[in-house]
Amino acid sequence: MIYIYNDYGGTHTTSLAAAYHLKQLPQSERKLTTEEILNVKNFNQLTKEDFGKIIFHGTDDEGNSVYTLGRKRNKYVVPALKELTLLLQEKHQFDEKIVLSNTSPTVPIALSIGGFFSRGLKIDFIGVPFLIKGAKQCCDNVYRLVENTKHVGRTSFNENVIILENKMYKGSDPHSAKV
């Protein structure tokens, strides 16, 4: 099986998701530390030249490959990947299941601001603190998204290509429920 976590830039929530998936981050819904966030492979490291590249992060404990993808605002990238995969599966008897999981719904405003300053304007001293704050805000949601993505991947659907939009993670914070 192949997992591809995707979002706008492919360097923040997707990198966190890949790290959670590969158990490189603590497998819990606790807040990450600044050091843990900054040590995640490719977190805030990718540039505009990396958009559209499918980046390998590793193999999980079940032998599945984990990738990330920065797709910008292009809503056609993921459907095109699905169509290409189905074509390859039909033409070349390629039967690997692929799960494309969108991490964009987990992105809080602080992460967007941080990405704009750090990746867009190259002003890290302003952007990185926002990125850390945003990553701490969304790490619970990213962790839960990854757990759901792996669950869906293990489930036997008739489809070989599964697209998860993950809208249920938009703005939800399991610790902010009103009593």
Side-chain angles (χ1 to χ4, degrees):
M1 183 165 354
I2 297 171
Y3 291 96
I4 303 173
Y5 293 98
N6 65 90
D7 76 350
Y8 180 83
T11 192
H12 298 118
T13 57
T14 55
S15 294
L16 291 172
Y20 275 125
H21 190 116
L22 297 169
K23 298 184 178 178
Q24 296 165 346
L25 287 173
Q27 297 293 297
S28 68
E29 293 183 1
R30 73 162 176 81
K31 297 287 185 214
L32 297 175
T33 66
T34 297
E35 184 176 278
E36 287 171 329
I37 293 165
L38 293 177
N39 286 329
V40 168
K41 177 183 175 184
N42 292 331
F43 185 85
N44 202 39
Q45 300 299 311
L46 303 181
T47 66
K48 63 182 177 182
E49 287 78 25
D50 296 310
F51 289 129
K53 291 183 182 175
I54 300 173
I55 298 172
F56 180 69
H57 284 258
T59 304
D60 70 15
D61 54 0
E62 295 176 11
N64 304 307
S65 300
V66 178
Y67 295 85
T68 59
L69 169 67
R71 57 179 156 65
K72 296 290 279 186
R73 295 186 203 277
N74 195 325
K75 63 183 178 183
Y76 302 111
V77 170
V78 171
L81 282 174
K82 179 177 181 175
E83 292 302 315
L84 176 62
T85 301
L86 293 172
L87 175 75
L88 290 172
Q89 288 174 340
E90 181 181 318
K91 188 126 177 109
H92 299 287
Q93 313 319 308
F94 170 75
D95 62 354
E96 186 105 23
K97 183 191 276 188
I98 297 179
V99 180
L100 295 141
S101 186
N102 180 8
T103 63
S104 294
T106 66
V107 177
I109 190 73
L111 202 62
S112 296
I113 292 168
F116 173 73
F117 278 103
S118 185
R119 301 286 31 132
L121 300 178
K122 310 286 187 247
I123 306 174
D124 282 340
F125 76 93
I126 295 174
V128 171
F130 277 103
L131 289 171
I132 292 167
K133 179 179 180 177
K136 287 180 179 184
Q137 288 173 345
C138 73
C139 64
D140 291 347
N141 280 343
V142 173
Y143 171 74
R144 291 184 304 115
L145 179 147
V146 169
E147 290 302 301
N148 183 63
T149 298
K150 292 190 308 187
H151 174 75
V152 169
R154 288 184 200 112
T155 306
S156 58
F157 288 104
N158 289 336
E159 296 182 60
N160 278 346
V161 181
I162 299 168
I163 297 173
L164 299 176
E165 289 298 334
N166 298 314
K167 291 180 181 172
M168 66 279 241
Y169 298 102
K170 186 166 185 67
S172 67
D173 180 353
H175 303 293
S176 68
K178 301 208 188 249
V179 179

